Coordinates of all heavy atoms in Angstrom, one line a residue:
F21 N -188.5 -24.9 -95.9 CA -188.5 -25.4 -97.2 C -187.2 -26.1 -97.4 O -186.2 -25.9 -96.7 CB -188.8 -24.3 -98.2 CG -187.7 -23.2 -98.3 CD1 -186.7 -23.4 -99.3 CD2 -187.7 -22.1 -97.5 CE1 -185.7 -22.5 -99.4 CE2 -186.7 -21.2 -97.6 CZ -185.7 -21.4 -98.6
Q22 N -187.2 -26.8 -98.5 CA -186.0 -27.5 -99.0 C -185.6 -26.9 -100.3 O -186.4 -26.4 -101.0 CB -186.2 -29.0 -99.0 CG -186.5 -29.6 -97.7 CD -186.8 -31.1 -97.8 OE1 -187.4 -31.5 -98.9 NE2 -186.6 -31.8 -96.8
I23 N -184.3 -27.1 -100.6 CA -183.9 -26.7 -102.0 C -183.4 -27.9 -102.8 O -182.8 -28.8 -102.3 CB -182.6 -25.7 -101.8 CG1 -183.0 -24.5 -101.1 CG2 -182.0 -25.4 -103.2 CD1 -181.9 -23.6 -100.8
R24 N -183.9 -27.9 -104.0 CA -183.5 -29.0 -105.0 C -183.2 -28.4 -106.3 O -183.5 -27.2 -106.5 CB -184.7 -30.0 -105.1 CG -185.9 -29.4 -105.8 CD -186.9 -30.4 -106.1 NE -188.0 -29.8 -106.8 CZ -189.1 -30.3 -107.1 NH1 -189.4 -31.5 -106.7 NH2 -190.0 -29.7 -107.8
L25 N -182.5 -29.1 -107.2 CA -182.2 -28.6 -108.5 C -183.3 -28.9 -109.4 O -183.9 -30.0 -109.5 CB -180.8 -29.2 -109.0 CG -179.6 -28.9 -108.1 CD1 -178.4 -29.6 -108.7 CD2 -179.4 -27.4 -108.1
S26 N -183.5 -27.9 -110.3 CA -184.6 -28.1 -111.4 C -183.9 -28.9 -112.5 O -182.7 -29.2 -112.4 CB -185.0 -26.7 -111.9 OG -183.9 -26.1 -112.6
V27 N -184.7 -29.2 -113.5 CA -184.2 -30.1 -114.5 C -183.0 -29.3 -115.3 O -182.2 -29.9 -115.9 CB -185.2 -30.5 -115.5 CG1 -186.2 -31.6 -114.8 CG2 -186.1 -29.4 -116.1
E28 N -183.1 -28.0 -115.2 CA -182.1 -27.2 -115.9 C -180.9 -27.0 -115.0 O -179.8 -26.4 -115.5 CB -182.6 -25.8 -116.2 CG -183.7 -25.8 -117.3 CD -185.1 -25.9 -116.7 OE1 -185.2 -25.7 -115.4 OE2 -186.0 -26.2 -117.4
G29 N -180.9 -27.5 -113.8 CA -179.8 -27.4 -112.8 C -179.8 -26.2 -112.0 O -178.8 -25.9 -111.2
Y30 N -180.9 -25.4 -111.9 CA -181.0 -24.2 -111.1 C -181.7 -24.6 -109.8 O -182.5 -25.5 -109.7 CB -181.9 -23.2 -111.7 CG -181.2 -22.6 -113.0 CD1 -181.8 -23.0 -114.3 CD2 -180.1 -21.7 -113.0 CE1 -181.2 -22.5 -115.4 CE2 -179.5 -21.3 -114.1 CZ -180.1 -21.6 -115.3 OH -179.5 -21.2 -116.5
P31 N -181.3 -24.0 -108.7 CA -181.9 -24.3 -107.4 C -183.3 -23.7 -107.3 O -183.6 -22.7 -107.8 CB -181.0 -23.6 -106.4 CG -180.3 -22.5 -107.1 CD -180.1 -23.0 -108.5
Q32 N -184.2 -24.5 -106.7 CA -185.5 -24.1 -106.5 C -186.1 -24.6 -105.2 O -185.5 -25.6 -104.7 CB -186.4 -24.5 -107.7 CG -186.7 -26.0 -107.8 CD -187.6 -26.4 -109.0 OE1 -187.0 -26.3 -110.1 NE2 -188.8 -26.6 -108.8
A33 N -187.1 -24.0 -104.7 CA -187.7 -24.4 -103.4 C -188.6 -25.6 -103.6 O -189.3 -25.7 -104.5 CB -188.4 -23.2 -102.8
A34 N -188.5 -26.5 -102.6 CA -189.4 -27.7 -102.6 C -190.0 -27.8 -101.2 O -189.4 -27.3 -100.2 CB -188.6 -28.9 -103.0
N35 N -191.2 -28.4 -101.0 CA -191.8 -28.7 -99.8 C -192.0 -27.3 -99.0 O -191.7 -27.2 -97.9 CB -191.0 -29.6 -98.9 CG -190.9 -30.9 -99.5 OD1 -191.8 -31.4 -100.2 ND2 -189.8 -31.6 -99.4
V36 N -192.5 -26.3 -99.7 CA -192.7 -25.0 -99.2 C -194.0 -25.1 -98.3 O -195.0 -25.7 -98.6 CB -192.9 -24.0 -100.3 CG1 -193.3 -22.6 -99.7 CG2 -191.7 -23.9 -101.1
R37 N -194.0 -24.4 -97.2 CA -195.1 -24.4 -96.2 C -195.5 -23.0 -96.1 O -194.8 -22.0 -95.7 CB -194.6 -25.0 -94.9 CG -195.7 -25.1 -93.9 CD -195.2 -25.8 -92.6 NE -194.1 -25.1 -92.0 CZ -193.8 -25.3 -90.8 NH1 -194.4 -26.1 -90.1 NH2 -192.9 -24.5 -90.2
R38 N -196.8 -22.7 -96.2 CA -197.4 -21.4 -96.0 C -197.7 -21.1 -94.5 O -198.3 -22.0 -93.9 CB -198.7 -21.2 -96.8 CG -199.3 -19.8 -96.7 CD -200.4 -19.7 -97.7 NE -199.8 -19.6 -98.9 CZ -200.0 -18.6 -99.9 NH1 -200.7 -17.7 -99.5 NH2 -199.3 -18.6 -100.9
L39 N -197.2 -20.0 -94.0 CA -197.5 -19.7 -92.6 C -198.4 -18.5 -92.5 O -198.4 -17.5 -93.3 CB -196.1 -19.3 -92.0 CG -195.0 -20.4 -92.0 CD1 -193.8 -19.8 -91.4 CD2 -195.4 -21.5 -91.1
A40 N -199.3 -18.6 -91.5 CA -200.2 -17.5 -91.3 C -199.5 -16.4 -90.5 O -198.7 -16.7 -89.6 CB -201.4 -18.0 -90.3
R41 N -199.7 -15.2 -91.0 CA -199.1 -14.0 -90.4 C -200.1 -13.3 -89.4 O -201.2 -13.1 -89.8 CB -198.6 -13.0 -91.4 CG -197.9 -11.8 -90.9 CD -197.2 -10.9 -91.9 NE -196.0 -11.4 -92.6 CZ -194.8 -11.5 -92.0 NH1 -194.7 -11.2 -90.7 NH2 -193.8 -11.9 -92.7
F42 N -199.7 -13.0 -88.2 CA -200.4 -12.4 -87.2 C -199.9 -11.0 -86.9 O -198.8 -10.7 -87.1 CB -200.4 -13.3 -85.9 CG -200.9 -14.7 -86.1 CD1 -200.0 -15.7 -86.3 CD2 -202.3 -15.0 -86.2 CE1 -200.4 -17.0 -86.5 CE2 -202.7 -16.3 -86.4 CZ -201.7 -17.3 -86.5
R43 N -200.8 -10.2 -86.4 CA -200.4 -8.9 -85.9 C -200.8 -8.8 -84.4 O -201.8 -9.4 -83.9 CB -201.2 -7.8 -86.6 CG -200.9 -7.7 -88.1 CD -201.5 -6.6 -88.8 NE -201.0 -5.3 -88.4 CZ -199.8 -4.8 -88.9 NH1 -199.1 -5.5 -89.7 NH2 -199.4 -3.6 -88.5
G44 N -199.9 -8.2 -83.6 CA -200.1 -8.1 -82.2 C -199.4 -7.0 -81.5 O -198.7 -6.2 -82.2
I45 N -199.5 -6.9 -80.3 CA -198.9 -5.8 -79.5 C -197.9 -6.4 -78.5 O -198.3 -7.4 -77.8 CB -200.0 -5.0 -78.7 CG1 -201.0 -4.4 -79.7 CG2 -199.3 -3.9 -77.9 CD1 -200.4 -3.3 -80.6
V46 N -196.7 -5.9 -78.3 CA -195.7 -6.4 -77.3 C -196.3 -6.0 -76.0 O -196.4 -4.8 -75.7 CB -194.3 -5.9 -77.6 CG1 -193.4 -6.3 -76.5 CG2 -193.9 -6.3 -78.9
L47 N -196.5 -7.0 -75.1 CA -197.0 -6.7 -73.8 C -195.7 -6.7 -72.8 O -195.7 -5.8 -72.0 CB -197.8 -7.9 -73.3 CG -198.5 -7.8 -71.9 CD1 -199.4 -6.6 -71.8 CD2 -199.2 -9.0 -71.6
H48 N -194.8 -7.6 -73.0 CA -193.6 -7.6 -72.2 C -192.4 -8.0 -73.2 O -192.5 -9.1 -73.8 CB -193.7 -8.8 -71.2 CG -192.5 -9.0 -70.4 ND1 -192.0 -8.2 -69.4 CD2 -191.7 -10.1 -70.4 CE1 -190.9 -8.7 -68.9 NE2 -190.7 -9.9 -69.5
P49 N -191.4 -7.2 -73.3 CA -190.3 -7.4 -74.3 C -189.5 -8.6 -73.8 O -189.3 -8.8 -72.6 CB -189.6 -6.1 -74.4 CG -189.9 -5.4 -73.1 CD -191.3 -5.8 -72.7
P50 N -188.8 -9.3 -74.7 CA -187.9 -10.3 -74.3 C -186.6 -9.8 -73.7 O -186.3 -8.6 -73.9 CB -187.6 -11.1 -75.6 CG -187.8 -10.1 -76.6 CD -188.9 -9.2 -76.2
A51 N -185.9 -10.6 -72.9 CA -184.7 -10.1 -72.2 C -183.6 -9.9 -73.3 O -183.7 -10.6 -74.4 CB -184.2 -11.2 -71.2
E52 N -182.7 -8.9 -73.2 CA -181.7 -8.7 -74.1 C -180.7 -9.9 -74.0 O -180.6 -10.6 -72.9 CB -180.9 -7.5 -73.8 CG -181.8 -6.2 -74.0 CD -181.0 -4.9 -73.8 OE1 -179.8 -5.0 -73.9 OE2 -181.7 -3.9 -73.5
E53 N -180.0 -10.3 -75.1 CA -179.2 -11.4 -75.1 C -178.1 -11.4 -74.0 O -177.7 -12.4 -73.5 CB -178.5 -11.6 -76.4 CG -179.5 -12.0 -77.5 CD -178.9 -12.2 -78.9 OE1 -178.0 -13.1 -78.9 OE2 -179.2 -11.5 -79.8
S54 N -177.7 -10.2 -73.6 CA -176.6 -10.1 -72.6 C -177.2 -10.6 -71.2 O -176.4 -11.1 -70.4 CB -176.1 -8.6 -72.5 OG -177.2 -7.8 -72.1
R55 N -178.5 -10.5 -71.0 CA -179.1 -11.0 -69.7 C -179.3 -12.5 -69.8 O -179.3 -13.1 -68.7 CB -180.4 -10.3 -69.4 CG -180.3 -8.9 -68.9 CD -181.5 -8.4 -68.3 NE -182.1 -9.5 -67.4 CZ -183.5 -9.6 -67.2 NH1 -184.3 -8.8 -67.8 NH2 -183.9 -10.5 -66.4
V56 N -179.5 -13.1 -70.9 CA -179.8 -14.5 -71.0 C -178.6 -15.3 -70.5 O -177.5 -15.1 -70.8 CB -180.0 -14.8 -72.5 CG1 -180.2 -16.3 -72.7 CG2 -181.3 -14.1 -73.0
G57 N -178.9 -16.2 -69.6 CA -177.9 -17.1 -69.0 C -177.4 -16.6 -67.7 O -176.8 -17.3 -67.0
L58 N -177.7 -15.3 -67.4 CA -177.2 -14.7 -66.1 C -178.1 -15.1 -64.9 O -177.7 -15.4 -63.8 CB -177.1 -13.2 -66.1 CG -176.1 -12.7 -67.1 CD1 -176.1 -11.2 -67.1 CD2 -174.7 -13.2 -66.7
D59 N -179.4 -15.2 -65.2 CA -180.4 -15.6 -64.1 C -180.7 -17.1 -64.3 O -180.7 -17.7 -65.4 CB -181.7 -14.8 -64.3 CG -181.4 -13.3 -64.1 OD1 -180.5 -13.0 -63.4 OD2 -182.1 -12.6 -64.8
N60 N -181.1 -17.7 -63.3 CA -181.5 -19.1 -63.3 C -183.0 -19.3 -63.8 O -183.4 -20.3 -64.2 CB -181.4 -19.8 -61.9 CG -180.0 -20.0 -61.5 OD1 -179.1 -20.0 -62.4 ND2 -179.7 -20.0 -60.2
D61 N -183.8 -18.2 -63.8 CA -185.1 -18.2 -64.2 C -185.2 -18.0 -65.7 O -185.2 -16.8 -66.2 CB -186.0 -17.2 -63.4 CG -187.4 -17.3 -63.7 OD1 -187.9 -18.3 -64.3 OD2 -188.1 -16.4 -63.3
N62 N -185.4 -19.1 -66.5 CA -185.4 -18.9 -67.9 C -186.7 -18.3 -68.5 O -186.7 -17.8 -69.6 CB -185.2 -20.3 -68.6 CG -183.8 -20.8 -68.4 OD1 -182.9 -20.0 -68.2 ND2 -183.7 -22.2 -68.4
N63 N -187.8 -18.2 -67.7 CA -189.0 -17.7 -68.1 C -188.8 -16.2 -68.3 O -189.6 -15.6 -69.1 CB -190.1 -17.9 -67.1 CG -190.5 -19.4 -67.1 OD1 -190.3 -20.1 -68.1 ND2 -191.1 -19.8 -66.0
D64 N -187.9 -15.5 -67.7 CA -187.6 -14.1 -67.9 C -187.1 -13.8 -69.3 O -187.0 -12.7 -69.7 CB -186.7 -13.5 -66.8 CG -187.6 -13.3 -65.5 OD1 -188.8 -13.3 -65.5 OD2 -186.9 -13.1 -64.5
D65 N -186.5 -14.8 -69.9 CA -185.9 -14.6 -71.2 C -186.9 -14.4 -72.3 O -186.6 -13.8 -73.3 CB -185.0 -15.8 -71.6 CG -183.8 -16.1 -70.6 OD1 -183.5 -15.1 -69.9 OD2 -183.3 -17.1 -70.7
F66 N -188.1 -14.8 -72.1 CA -189.2 -14.7 -73.1 C -189.9 -13.4 -72.8 O -190.1 -13.0 -71.8 CB -190.1 -15.9 -72.9 CG -189.6 -17.2 -73.4 CD1 -189.0 -18.1 -72.5 CD2 -189.7 -17.5 -74.7 CE1 -188.5 -19.3 -72.9 CE2 -189.2 -18.8 -75.1 CZ -188.6 -19.6 -74.2
G67 N -190.3 -12.9 -74.0 CA -191.3 -11.8 -73.9 C -192.7 -12.3 -74.3 O -192.9 -13.5 -74.6
T68 N -193.6 -11.4 -74.3 CA -195.0 -11.8 -74.6 C -195.6 -10.8 -75.6 O -195.5 -9.6 -75.5 CB -195.9 -11.7 -73.3 OG1 -195.2 -12.5 -72.3 CG2 -197.3 -12.2 -73.5
I69 N -196.3 -11.4 -76.5 CA -197.1 -10.7 -77.6 C -198.5 -11.1 -77.4 O -198.8 -12.3 -77.4 CB -196.6 -11.0 -79.0 CG1 -195.1 -10.6 -79.2 CG2 -197.4 -10.2 -80.1 CD1 -194.5 -11.0 -80.5
V70 N -199.4 -10.1 -77.5 CA -200.9 -10.4 -77.4 C -201.5 -10.1 -78.7 O -201.2 -9.1 -79.4 CB -201.6 -9.7 -76.2 CG1 -201.1 -10.1 -74.9 CG2 -201.4 -8.2 -76.4
S71 N -202.4 -11.0 -79.2 CA -203.0 -10.8 -80.5 C -204.4 -11.5 -80.4 O -204.5 -12.7 -80.1 CB -202.2 -11.6 -81.6 OG -202.8 -11.6 -82.8
E72 N -205.4 -10.7 -80.9 CA -206.8 -11.3 -81.0 C -206.9 -12.3 -82.1 O -207.7 -13.2 -82.0 CB -207.7 -10.2 -81.2 CG -207.9 -9.2 -80.0 CD -208.3 -9.8 -78.7 OE1 -209.2 -10.7 -78.7 OE2 -207.7 -9.5 -77.7
E73 N -206.0 -12.2 -83.1 CA -206.0 -13.2 -84.2 C -205.6 -14.6 -83.7 O -206.1 -15.6 -84.1 CB -205.1 -12.7 -85.3 CG -205.5 -11.4 -85.9 CD -204.4 -10.8 -86.8 OE1 -203.3 -11.4 -86.9 OE2 -204.8 -9.8 -87.5
L74 N -204.7 -14.6 -82.7 CA -204.2 -15.9 -82.1 C -205.4 -16.5 -81.4 O -205.6 -17.7 -81.4 CB -203.1 -15.7 -81.2 CG -201.7 -15.4 -81.7 CD1 -200.7 -15.1 -80.6 CD2 -201.2 -16.5 -82.6
L75 N -206.2 -15.7 -80.7 CA -207.3 -16.2 -80.0 C -208.3 -16.9 -80.8 O -208.8 -18.0 -80.5 CB -208.0 -15.1 -79.2 CG -209.2 -15.4 -78.3 CD1 -208.8 -16.3 -77.2 CD2 -209.9 -14.1 -77.8
Q76 N -208.5 -16.4 -82.1 CA -209.5 -17.0 -83.0 C -209.0 -18.3 -83.5 O -209.8 -19.3 -83.7 CB -209.7 -16.0 -84.1 CG -210.4 -14.8 -83.8 CD -210.5 -13.8 -85.0 OE1 -210.0 -14.1 -86.1 NE2 -211.0 -12.6 -84.7
L77 N -207.7 -18.5 -83.7 CA -207.1 -19.7 -84.3 C -206.7 -20.8 -83.2 O -207.0 -21.9 -83.4 CB -205.9 -19.3 -85.2 CG -205.4 -20.4 -86.1 CD1 -206.5 -20.9 -87.0 CD2 -204.2 -20.0 -86.8
F78 N -206.1 -20.3 -82.1 CA -205.6 -21.2 -81.1 C -206.3 -21.2 -79.8 O -206.0 -22.0 -78.9 CB -204.1 -20.9 -80.9 CG -203.2 -21.1 -82.2 CD1 -202.7 -20.1 -82.8 CD2 -203.0 -22.4 -82.7 CE1 -201.9 -20.2 -84.0 CE2 -202.2 -22.6 -83.8 CZ -201.7 -21.5 -84.4
G79 N -207.2 -20.3 -79.6 CA -207.9 -20.2 -78.3 C -207.1 -19.5 -77.2 O -207.4 -19.6 -76.1
D80 N -206.0 -18.9 -77.6 CA -205.1 -18.2 -76.6 C -204.6 -17.0 -77.3 O -204.3 -17.0 -78.5 CB -203.9 -19.1 -76.2 CG -203.2 -18.5 -75.0 OD1 -203.5 -17.4 -74.5 OD2 -202.2 -19.2 -74.5
R81 N -204.6 -15.8 -76.6 CA -204.2 -14.6 -77.2 C -202.8 -14.2 -77.0 O -202.3 -13.2 -77.4 CB -205.1 -13.4 -76.8 CG -204.9 -13.0 -75.3 CD -205.9 -12.0 -74.9 NE -207.2 -12.6 -74.8 CZ -208.4 -12.0 -75.1 NH1 -208.3 -10.8 -75.4 NH2 -209.5 -12.6 -75.0
E82 N -202.0 -15.1 -76.2 CA -200.6 -14.8 -76.0 C -199.6 -15.7 -76.7 O -199.8 -16.9 -76.7 CB -200.3 -14.8 -74.5 CG -201.0 -13.7 -73.7 CD -200.6 -13.7 -72.3 OE1 -199.8 -14.5 -71.8 OE2 -201.2 -12.8 -71.6
A83 N -198.5 -15.1 -77.2 CA -197.4 -15.9 -77.7 C -196.1 -15.4 -77.1 O -196.0 -14.2 -76.9 CB -197.3 -15.8 -79.3
S84 N -195.2 -16.4 -76.9 CA -193.9 -15.9 -76.3 C -193.0 -15.6 -77.4 O -193.2 -16.1 -78.5 CB -193.4 -17.0 -75.4 OG -193.2 -18.3 -76.2
V85 N -192.0 -14.8 -77.2 CA -191.0 -14.5 -78.1 C -189.6 -14.4 -77.5 O -189.5 -13.8 -76.4 CB -191.4 -13.1 -78.9 CG1 -191.5 -12.0 -77.9 CG2 -190.4 -12.8 -80.0
K86 N -188.6 -14.8 -78.1 CA -187.2 -14.8 -77.7 C -186.5 -13.6 -78.4 O -186.9 -13.4 -79.6 CB -186.4 -16.0 -78.0 CG -186.9 -17.2 -77.2 CD -186.0 -18.4 -77.5 CE -186.4 -19.7 -76.8 NZ -185.6 -20.8 -77.3
Q87 N -185.6 -13.0 -77.8 CA -184.8 -12.0 -78.5 C -184.1 -12.5 -79.7 O -184.0 -11.8 -80.7 CB -183.8 -11.4 -77.5 CG -182.9 -10.3 -78.1 CD -183.8 -9.1 -78.7 OE1 -184.7 -8.6 -78.0 NE2 -183.5 -8.6 -79.9
Q88 N -183.6 -13.8 -79.6 CA -183.0 -14.4 -80.8 C -183.8 -14.4 -82.0 O -183.4 -14.3 -83.1 CB -182.6 -15.8 -80.4 CG -182.0 -16.6 -81.5 CD -181.8 -18.1 -81.0 OE1 -182.0 -18.5 -79.9 NE2 -181.3 -18.9 -81.9
A89 N -185.2 -14.5 -81.9 CA -186.1 -14.5 -83.0 C -186.3 -13.1 -83.6 O -186.8 -13.0 -84.7 CB -187.5 -15.0 -82.6
C90 N -185.8 -12.1 -82.9 CA -186.0 -10.7 -83.4 C -184.7 -10.1 -84.1 O -184.8 -9.0 -84.6 CB -186.3 -9.8 -82.2 SG -187.7 -10.2 -81.3
G91 N -183.7 -10.9 -84.1 CA -182.5 -10.4 -84.8 C -182.0 -9.1 -84.0 O -181.8 -9.2 -82.8
Q92 N -181.7 -8.0 -84.7 CA -181.1 -6.9 -84.1 C -182.2 -5.9 -83.6 O -181.9 -4.9 -82.9 CB -180.2 -6.1 -85.1 CG -179.0 -6.9 -85.5 CD -178.1 -6.0 -86.4 OE1 -178.5 -5.0 -87.0 NE2 -176.9 -6.6 -86.7
L93 N -183.5 -6.2 -83.8 CA -184.6 -5.4 -83.4 C -184.7 -5.5 -81.9 O -184.7 -6.7 -81.4 CB -185.9 -5.9 -84.1 CG -187.1 -5.2 -83.8 CD1 -187.1 -3.8 -84.3 CD2 -188.3 -5.9 -84.3
R94 N -184.9 -4.5 -81.2 CA -185.2 -4.5 -79.8 C -186.6 -4.0 -79.5 O -187.0 -2.9 -79.9 CB -184.2 -3.5 -79.0 CG -182.8 -3.9 -79.2 CD -182.5 -5.1 -78.4 NE -181.1 -5.5 -78.6 CZ -180.7 -6.6 -78.9 NH1 -181.5 -7.5 -79.3 NH2 -179.3 -6.9 -79.0
L95 N -187.5 -4.9 -79.1 CA -188.8 -4.7 -78.8 C -189.0 -4.0 -77.5 O -188.3 -4.2 -76.6 CB -189.6 -6.0 -78.8 CG -189.7 -6.8 -80.0 CD1 -190.4 -8.1 -79.8 CD2 -190.3 -6.0 -81.2
V96 N -190.1 -3.1 -77.5 CA -190.5 -2.5 -76.2 C -192.0 -2.6 -76.1 O -192.7 -2.8 -77.0 CB -190.1 -0.9 -76.1 CG1 -188.6 -0.7 -76.2 CG2 -190.7 -0.2 -77.3
A97 N -192.4 -2.6 -74.8 CA -193.9 -2.7 -74.6 C -194.7 -1.7 -75.4 O -194.3 -0.5 -75.4 CB -194.1 -2.5 -73.0
G98 N -195.7 -2.2 -76.1 CA -196.6 -1.3 -76.8 C -196.3 -1.3 -78.4 O -197.1 -0.8 -79.1
D99 N -195.1 -1.9 -78.7 CA -194.8 -2.0 -80.2 C -195.9 -2.9 -80.9 O -196.3 -3.9 -80.3 CB -193.4 -2.7 -80.3 CG -192.3 -1.7 -80.2 OD1 -192.5 -0.5 -80.1 OD2 -191.1 -2.2 -80.1
E100 N -196.3 -2.5 -82.0 CA -197.1 -3.3 -82.9 C -196.3 -4.1 -83.8 O -195.4 -3.5 -84.5 CB -198.1 -2.4 -83.7 CG -199.2 -3.2 -84.5 CD -200.2 -2.5 -85.1 OE1 -200.4 -1.3 -84.7 OE2 -200.8 -3.0 -86.0
V101 N -196.4 -5.4 -83.8 CA -195.6 -6.3 -84.6 C -196.3 -7.3 -85.5 O -197.5 -7.6 -85.2 CB -194.6 -7.1 -83.7 CG1 -193.6 -6.2 -83.0 CG2 -195.4 -7.9 -82.7
A102 N -195.7 -7.7 -86.6 CA -196.3 -8.8 -87.4 C -195.4 -10.0 -87.1 O -194.1 -9.9 -87.0 CB -196.3 -8.4 -88.8
F103 N -195.9 -11.2 -87.0 CA -195.1 -12.3 -86.7 C -195.8 -13.6 -87.1 O -197.0 -13.6 -87.6 CB -194.9 -12.5 -85.1 CG -196.2 -12.6 -84.4 CD1 -196.7 -13.8 -83.9 CD2 -196.9 -11.4 -84.0 CE1 -197.8 -13.9 -83.2 CE2 -198.1 -11.5 -83.3 CZ -198.5 -12.8 -82.9
V104 N -195.1 -14.7 -87.1 CA -195.7 -16.0 -87.4 C -195.5 -16.9 -86.2 O -194.6 -16.7 -85.4 CB -195.0 -16.6 -88.7 CG1 -195.3 -15.8 -89.9 CG2 -193.5 -16.9 -88.6
V105 N -196.2 -18.0 -86.2 CA -196.0 -19.1 -85.2 C -195.9 -20.4 -86.0 O -196.8 -21.1 -86.4 CB -197.3 -19.2 -84.2 CG1 -197.1 -20.3 -83.3 CG2 -197.6 -17.9 -83.6
P106 N -194.6 -20.7 -86.4 CA -194.4 -21.8 -87.3 C -194.7 -23.2 -86.7 O -195.2 -24.0 -87.5 CB -192.8 -21.7 -87.6 CG -192.3 -20.9 -86.5 CD -193.4 -20.0 -86.0
D107 N -194.5 -23.4 -85.5 CA -194.7 -24.7 -84.9 C -195.4 -24.6 -83.6 O -194.9 -24.9 -82.5 CB -193.3 -25.4 -84.7 CG -192.6 -25.6 -86.0 OD1 -193.2 -26.1 -86.9 OD2 -191.4 -25.3 -86.0
P108 N -196.8 -24.5 -83.6 CA -197.6 -24.5 -82.4 C -197.5 -25.9 -81.8 O -197.7 -26.9 -82.4 CB -198.9 -24.1 -82.8 CG -199.0 -24.3 -84.2 CD -197.6 -24.3 -84.8
I109 N -197.2 -25.9 -80.5 CA -197.1 -27.2 -79.8 C -198.4 -27.4 -79.0 O -198.7 -26.6 -78.1 CB -195.8 -27.3 -78.8 CG1 -194.6 -27.0 -79.6 CG2 -195.8 -28.6 -78.0 CD1 -193.4 -26.8 -78.8
K110 N -199.1 -28.5 -79.2 CA -200.3 -28.8 -78.4 C -199.9 -29.4 -77.1 O -199.3 -30.4 -77.0 CB -201.2 -29.7 -79.3 CG -202.6 -29.8 -78.7 CD -203.6 -30.4 -79.6 CE -205.0 -30.3 -79.1 NZ -206.0 -30.7 -80.0
A111 N -200.4 -28.7 -76.0 CA -200.1 -29.2 -74.7 C -201.2 -30.3 -74.3 O -202.2 -30.5 -75.1 CB -200.2 -28.1 -73.7
G112 N -200.9 -31.0 -73.3 CA -201.8 -32.2 -72.9 C -203.2 -31.7 -72.5 O -204.1 -32.5 -72.7
D113 N -203.4 -30.5 -72.1 CA -204.7 -30.1 -71.7 C -205.5 -29.4 -72.9 O -206.6 -28.8 -72.6 CB -204.6 -29.1 -70.5 CG -203.8 -27.9 -70.9 OD1 -203.3 -27.8 -72.0 OD2 -203.7 -26.9 -70.0
G114 N -205.0 -29.6 -74.1 CA -205.7 -29.1 -75.2 C -205.4 -27.7 -75.6 O -205.9 -27.1 -76.7
T115 N -204.6 -27.0 -74.8 CA -204.1 -25.7 -75.2 C -202.8 -25.8 -76.1 O -202.3 -26.9 -76.3 CB -203.8 -24.8 -74.0 OG1 -202.8 -25.4 -73.2 CG2 -205.0 -24.7 -73.1
F116 N -202.4 -24.6 -76.6 CA -201.2 -24.6 -77.4 C -200.1 -23.8 -76.8 O -200.4 -22.7 -76.1 CB -201.5 -23.9 -78.8 CG -202.4 -24.8 -79.7 CD1 -203.8 -24.8 -79.7 CD2 -201.8 -25.7 -80.6 CE1 -204.5 -25.5 -80.5 CE2 -202.5 -26.5 -81.4 CZ -203.9 -26.4 -81.3
L117 N -198.9 -24.2 -77.0 CA -197.7 -23.3 -76.6 C -197.3 -22.6 -77.8 O -196.9 -23.3 -78.8 CB -196.6 -24.2 -76.0 CG -197.0 -25.0 -74.8 CD1 -195.9 -26.1 -74.4 CD2 -197.3 -24.2 -73.6
L118 N -197.4 -21.3 -77.9 CA -197.1 -20.5 -79.0 C -195.9 -19.7 -78.9 O -195.7 -18.9 -78.0 CB -198.3 -19.6 -79.3 CG -199.7 -20.3 -79.3 CD1 -200.7 -19.2 -79.4 CD2 -199.8 -21.2 -80.5
E119 N -194.9 -19.9 -79.9 CA -193.7 -19.1 -79.9 C -193.6 -18.3 -81.2 O -193.6 -18.9 -82.2 CB -192.4 -20.0 -79.7 CG -191.2 -19.2 -79.6 CD -190.0 -20.0 -79.2 OE1 -190.1 -21.1 -78.7 OE2 -188.8 -19.6 -79.6
A120 N -193.6 -17.0 -81.1 CA -193.6 -16.1 -82.2 C -192.2 -16.0 -82.8 O -191.2 -16.0 -82.1 CB -194.1 -14.7 -81.8
Q121 N -192.2 -15.8 -84.1 CA -190.9 -15.5 -84.8 C -191.2 -14.5 -85.8 O -192.3 -14.2 -86.3 CB -190.4 -16.8 -85.5 CG -190.0 -17.9 -84.5 CD -189.4 -19.1 -85.2 OE1 -189.2 -19.1 -86.4 NE2 -189.1 -20.1 -84.4
Q122 N -190.1 -13.9 -86.3 CA -190.1 -12.8 -87.2 C -190.7 -13.2 -88.6 O -190.5 -14.2 -89.0 CB -188.7 -12.3 -87.4 CG -188.6 -10.9 -87.9 CD -187.1 -10.4 -87.9 OE1 -186.2 -11.2 -87.7 NE2 -187.0 -9.2 -88.0

């Protein structure tokens, strides 16, 4: 969203976008920030969340998640989480690249 001043001079939100909230289970937790950058394989930095709700909307049940998107929270396999996918990227083959955020 953006912030603009109202006619009275108070800040207010503008161009607000509603995001769908999903629920899922952590299949593979993301790498801790201390590990990020130590390995050359960047795919290990991402964790995986599975959600049947994603399957209904995007045709894929998995979303990747970075530790940076979790703040101080440390995810472990089996955790039930609520998340959003703010910017799904459509791949050339018609599938979506989904990155979960808090």
Side-chain angles (χ1 to χ4, degrees):
F21 68 92
Q22 296 174 332
I23 297 176
R24 67 174 186 189
L25 295 179
S26 68
V27 291
E28 295 88 15
Y30 297 105
Q32 70 183 74
N35 300 324
V36 177
R37 184 173 65 158
R38 182 169 290 235
L39 299 173
R41 184 172 283 290
F42 302 99
R43 297 185 70 78
I45 304 291
V46 176
L47 183 64
H48 173 72
E52 294 182 24
E53 290 184 58
S54 60
R55 278 194 51 207
V56 174
L58 295 178
D59 299 326
N60 290 334
D61 187 12
N62 289 335
N63 291 335
D64 282 347
D65 296 346
F66 288 92
T68 305
I69 298 173
V70 293
S71 171
E72 294 302 317
E73 297 168 353
L74 287 177
L75 182 63
Q76 294 172 2
L77 191 59
F78 297 109
D80 191 358
R81 70 184 72 214
E82 293 186 0
S84 60
V85 60
K86 293 181 185 178
Q87 182 58 47
Q88 177 184 356
C90 301
Q92 294 181 351
L93 181 68
R94 298 290 180 235
L95 298 175
V96 295
D99 281 348
E100 185 175 341
V101 294
F103 61 96
V104 297
V105 180
D107 298 311
I109 300 169
K110 191 164 188 174
D113 60 359
T115 60
F116 288 89
L117 302 174
L118 307 172
E119 186 172 334
Q121 294 186 2
Q122 204 174 11

